[in-house]
Amino acid sequence: MAKRKRLTPEEHSIDPAAQQMLIRADELGIGTAFTRADDMVACNIGAAGLCCKICSMGPCRLVKPGDTGVCGATMDTIQARNFIRAISAGAAAHSDHGRDMAFTLKAVANDQTEGYVIRDVAKLRVIAGHYDIPIKDRSPKEIANDLADLYIAQFGQQRGEVALLKRAPEKRQQVWKDTGAIPRGIDREVVEALHRTHIGDDQDPVHILQHAVRTSLADGWGGSLIATDVSDILFGTPAPILGQANLGVLKEDMVNIVVHGHEPTLSSMIVAVSQMPEIIEYAKSKGAKGINLSGICCTANEILMRQGIPAAGNFLQQELAILTGAVEAMVVDVQCIMQALVGLADNFHTKIITTSKKVKIKGATHMEFDEHKAVTIAKDILRFAIDNYENRGEIQIPDERADLVPGFSHEYINYMLGGSYRSSFRPLNDAVMSGRIRGIAAIVGCNNPRSQHDYLHTYVNKKLLEQDVLVVETGCGAIASAKLGYLLGDAGLDEVGPGLREICETIGIPPVLHMGSCVDNTRILTVLTQIVEEGGLGDDIDQIPAVGLAPEWMSEKALSIGAYCMASGAYVIFGGNSPISGWPDKLPGSDIVSQYISEGWEDLYGGKMEFIADPDEMIRRTLEHIDKKRAALGLPEYDPSKWGRSGDSRMIDLNELPLAKRKAALYGVPAK
Ligand code: NFS
């Protein structure tokens, strides 16, 4: 097999903790996703969306213009089919997560679980109110039971409209009606996507892509939104909390348990049980000082933003955590879990524990989770991990960790802009209208070993902050920024533009707001909806000066997110490889799919989806789009020279001081 040159640890990642672990892996002769990506030359035919393997007359590889599959399928049809299948798999993953959350809510409402309660009754009432579920004189469990039934019904619904779509701006709902994009039921759209792309069905690329939009909406305004709603109701709506991120959160003298995956159901229970005196005593009886929990991927985000449990890292750090030799158990549920973990863990004492009914990995220990016995199972898992502490060998934990403040739910953003007395999105809208905030960028999504770990996320982030663009983040992108300190007020403020800085200082927020896991991209939809409802920035999401970016994407879920954000009116930019790039020497008119998801979709939805590999070009187009939307709204042209000197003159003087002295003057903290 042809091999690519091995990159150095510095070329693989900008994160010093990751670099250190990659050096250790090299010394131990252990491969990781980074080196496997070096060794695996990606298939250029598949990468361009030109391989069709939906029947066994092929797989057909279309290698030159004019080629078709054995059945006659053209490049455009094959690309569109591959694309919708990826979007459908992503929508299915998010939505199945949402389904499990809805079942958990139903079980909690009927006293069938162990250890769970309804934590956010206020949110339960607000959400129930959207669907006219009676609230008055009813207990939280009665309301939750009805909401769970309604949510569970959205999956198998055959006709009508997914009920959650009514939470979008009215004008947007009309756009979806006019374009026939309203999903009827969540499962129905995914099944239909598979049917349409079976051999010999839908072969008009534009028609296929239209259903891709409908399927993605069943995710964003369906399954994912259900997941976010129910997680908040059961585990609490996030509010700012202090946390830490990076491998340095692992502790030398404690039992390290890393939870990895996506669902908060088990991980929240592990958090609760790990604080029980009997479990802590058990850890001590084995020679450890206690139990240290941390997370990887979106499970990390779920417990980071609710309980302040540290994040050991993002997607590409799952193997690196095990390479420290200090992890007693990695407990996984669903999604983004590398099969390589098991083989890698064989080099250490680490136990990989699978817990989902849906996910088994050969060689891992399976301890199946069941919410009806959640406390008992969580205790079993923790004891199993504690028993493994004495088997530790040599360890090496990078001394790298950064503080962060996550937890910016849309409810909290509303509150922070005016307190409970006059909570409102008005100050945010005003800041965008005045030009202090030039626009909003959502930087989300994965890591991908095909690009330098964390580089694109943080580069794009930094450059947009300098341009007074307020950044909101979720998923692995948020953890990348956290590690660099952007999610902590003062730490990031020296690097942001003058207008954005004024806003952050006034409200007391970091310039990058961590809004949660990937299913929580729905929080971004809700924020955009609230901005519209507040007024002054148009009457639909596509008029807001906002852009979504997934610079290091790799998963099918990312494509589904991109599609539903596009359909909601956003310009969405993906970095890295385009799965629909087609032949490098394109003939005129042979680029139907790429053009359609950009220009065609923009005509219909006001949003568009593009794949742009060059980060500077991503930034240029982001700013161009933001300025175009500002102009269309009649807002003043962005002019940073107006800001930074308009506040209280004392603040301006103070801002010139070094951080420690500024704090001393402001808060009476003695300067060091
Ligand atoms: Ni999102 Fe979260 Fe990370 Fe990508 Fe995977 S963890 S759901 S898919 S890799 S951001």
Side-chain angles (χ1 to χ4, degrees):
M1 185 200 296
K3 287 198 174 184
R4 216 176 80 178
K5 173 182 151 286
R6 278 271 168 105
L7 300 177
T8 63
E10 290 76 21
E11 288 167 325
H12 274 138
S13 175
I14 61 163
D15 175 357
Q19 292 167 0
Q20 188 182 332
M21 285 303 98
L22 289 172
I23 293 167
R24 178 160 156 94
D26 254 1
E27 286 166 358
L28 297 172
I30 297 173
T32 62
F34 295 88
T35 54
R36 289 191 297 275
D38 287 345
D39 294 346
M40 172 66 68
V41 175
C43 166
N44 56 352
I45 302 167
L50 296 174
C51 170
C52 183
K53 53 185 176 60
I54 65 169
C55 81
S56 114
M57 295 193 288
C60 296
R61 298 170 301 152
L62 274 54
V63 294
K64 59 180 189 310
D67 279 358
T68 66
V70 173
C71 70
T74 61
M75 173 184 89
D76 311 312
T77 299
I78 291 170
Q79 285 183 323
R81 284 201 298 225
N82 289 337
F83 199 52
I84 192 179
R85 281 200 165 201
I87 287 173
S88 304
H94 281 148
S95 300
D96 210 33
H97 168 172
R99 181 200 324 269
D100 283 344
M101 298 307 304
F103 277 126
T104 304
L105 183 66
K106 176 81 181 168
V108 173
N110 290 279
D111 295 323
Q112 291 164 350
T113 59
E114 193 181 67
Y116 297 111
V117 292
I118 295 169
R119 249 182 231 295
D120 194 338
V121 175
K123 177 146 185 173
L124 169 68
R125 287 163 166 265
V126 169
I127 299 290
H130 288 307
Y131 314 110
D132 302 325
I133 293 173
I135 294 169
K136 201 160 177 277
D137 301 328
R138 298 184 84 205
S139 72
K141 284 184 183 167
E142 285 171 318
I143 301 169
N145 183 59
D146 285 1
L147 181 64
D149 284 343
L150 179 98
Y151 275 0
I152 290 165
Q154 302 309 306
F155 294 92
Q157 183 171 287
Q158 302 304 319
R159 295 194 184 89
E161 300 178 358
V162 169
L164 293 87
L165 271 83
K166 65 160 81 143
R167 288 160 65 181
E170 271 175 29
K171 202 167 168 198
R172 183 63 17 189
Q173 294 178 47
Q174 194 56 47
V175 169
W176 294 331
K177 280 198 181 96
D178 294 345
T179 53
I182 302 240
R184 297 151 293 187
I186 298 166
D187 294 355
R188 177 167 182 184
E189 308 312 346
V190 174
V191 168
E192 186 171 315
L194 290 175
H195 179 190
R196 284 188 188 219
T197 54
H198 182 272
I199 167 76
D201 279 310
D202 201 357
Q203 284 150 94
D204 173 343
V206 167
H207 193 236
I208 293 169
L209 292 168
Q210 181 58 5
H211 185 66
V213 173
R214 182 157 54 182
T215 310
S216 73
L217 285 173
D219 173 0
W221 294 90
S224 279
L225 189 48
I226 290 174
T228 299
D229 282 350
V230 177
S231 299
D232 285 354
I233 290 166
L234 287 178
F235 306 113
T237 301
I241 187 168
L242 186 64
Q244 283 195 320
N246 216 342
L247 293 170
V249 305
L250 297 172
K251 298 228 162 74
E252 200 177 288
D253 48 7
M254 296 178 101
V255 176
N256 287 304
I257 298 168
V258 179
V259 287
H260 169 24
H262 284 77
E263 294 177 353
T265 327
L266 170 63
S267 50
S268 296
M269 194 51 74
I270 289 184
V271 173
V273 169
S274 71
Q275 289 156 5
M276 287 182 174
E278 59 171 288
I279 295 292
I280 295 170
E281 278 315 306
Y282 189 63
K284 288 185 176 162
S285 76
K286 299 287 176 177
K289 287 223 172 100
I291 296 168
N292 181 46
L293 275 188
S294 60
I296 294 271
C297 281
C298 284
T299 289
N301 287 321
E302 297 278 359
I303 53 176
L304 170 69
M305 64 181 175
R306 292 199 176 88
Q307 286 108 346
I309 302 297
N314 46 14
F315 175 69
L316 279 179
Q317 285 176 288
Q318 55 186 288
E319 292 176 291
L320 308 183
I322 293 174
L323 272 155
T324 62
V327 175
E328 275 55 59
M330 185 173 276
V331 184
V332 304
D333 51 36
V334 294
Q335 301 168 21
C336 302
I337 301 148
M338 291 191 197
Q339 186 169 356
L341 290 178
V342 173
L344 176 75
D346 283 346
N347 296 286
F348 304 92
H349 74 308
T350 309
K351 302 281 186 200
I352 305 294
I353 304 174
T354 50
T355 59
S356 166
K357 287 184 182 71
K358 295 166 206 163
V359 176
K360 282 195 177 184
I361 307 175
K362 199 158 176 275
T365 304
H366 191 68
M367 300 177 80
E368 196 160 296
F369 178 64
D370 174 356
E371 66 262 27
H372 304 94
K373 294 179 285 178
V375 176
T376 312
I377 294 166
K379 278 187 187 171
D380 288 349
I381 290 173
L382 284 168
R383 285 209 186 88
F384 184 67
I386 293 166
D387 287 340
N388 197 25
Y389 181 71
E390 61 191 19
N391 299 323
R392 252 194 209 180
E394 198 195 316
I395 66 166
Q396 190 187 120
I397 302 174
D399 191 19
E400 298 286 341
R401 68 194 78 74
D403 288 345
L404 74 147
V405 178
F408 290 90
S409 54
H410 57 86
E411 288 87 346
Y412 186 79
I413 294 176
N414 196 34
Y415 166 78
M416 81 186 182
L417 293 170
S420 33
Y421 170 54
R422 46 169 189 181
S423 61
S424 153
F425 266 65
R426 193 70 253 153
L428 179 64
N429 282 28
D430 285 346
V432 176
M433 289 166 71
S434 67
R436 282 190 175 83
I437 292 178
R438 184 174 183 174
I440 301 167
I443 305 179
V444 306
C446 326
N447 300 133
N448 187 330
R450 298 280 169 207
S451 70
Q452 193 184 23
H453 172 228
D454 289 348
Y455 169 71
L456 289 175
H457 276 303
T458 48
Y459 180 75
V460 171
N461 191 335
K462 185 172 155 44
K463 293 290 171 189
L464 290 177
L465 290 177
E466 286 169 5
Q467 295 292 323
D468 288 302
V469 174
L470 175 71
V471 175
V472 297
E473 296 202 324
T474 59
C476 291
I479 300 176
S481 293
K483 289 186 282 176
L484 277 189
Y486 285 127
L487 303 189
L488 196 67
D490 280 336
L493 284 192
D494 290 337
E495 302 182 42
V496 312
L500 177 60
R501 182 178 175 145
E502 280 184 13
I503 298 298
C504 292
E505 282 175 341
T506 307
I507 306 174
I509 51 166
V512 181
L513 304 181
H514 185 334
M515 298 191 73
S517 63
C518 283
V519 292
D520 293 337
N521 283 310
T522 59
R523 296 190 200 279
I524 298 174
L525 297 179
T526 317
V527 164
L528 294 171
T529 303
Q530 284 188 258
I531 288 174
V532 167
E533 284 165 359
E534 187 60 48
L537 290 173
D539 56 2
D540 195 0
I541 294 173
D542 65 334
Q543 295 171 44
I544 301 171
V547 176
L549 300 109
E552 299 180 28
W553 78 281
M554 63 88 205
S555 81
E556 293 166 313
K557 289 178 288 175
L559 294 178
S560 180
I561 294 166
Y564 74 64
C565 288
M566 178 291 300
S568 302
Y571 176 21
V572 181
I573 298 174
F574 283 81
N577 174 59
S578 163
I580 46 166
S581 61
W583 292 290
D585 50 342
K586 290 192 189 76
L587 295 176
S590 75
D591 206 11
I592 291 175
V593 174
S594 296
Q595 275 172 15
Y596 185 72
I597 67 166
S598 170
E599 293 154 27
W601 275 349
E602 191 172 27
D603 283 346
L604 292 173
Y605 302 104
K608 55 183 173 175
M609 217 165 144
E610 285 172 356
F611 292 85
I612 301 167
D614 174 15
D616 290 312
E617 182 61 11
M618 278 183 215
I619 294 158
R620 192 189 68 72
R621 289 210 217 170
T622 299
L623 296 174
E624 186 182 72
H625 185 80
I626 283 173
D627 290 344
K628 189 176 92 185
K629 295 292 172 184
R630 291 189 66 84
L633 287 166
L635 299 178
E637 229 173 88
Y638 169 67
D639 176 7
S641 68
K642 281 160 67 181
W643 315 120
R645 313 212 61 78
S646 60
D648 180 327
S649 59
R650 177 166 164 265
M651 282 303 295
I652 295 168
D653 293 344
L654 287 173
N655 288 343
E656 305 299 331
L657 296 174
L659 181 61
K661 287 198 177 152
R662 197 186 332 155
K663 278 189 178 157
L666 278 172
Y667 311 123
V669 181
K672 284 188 197 135

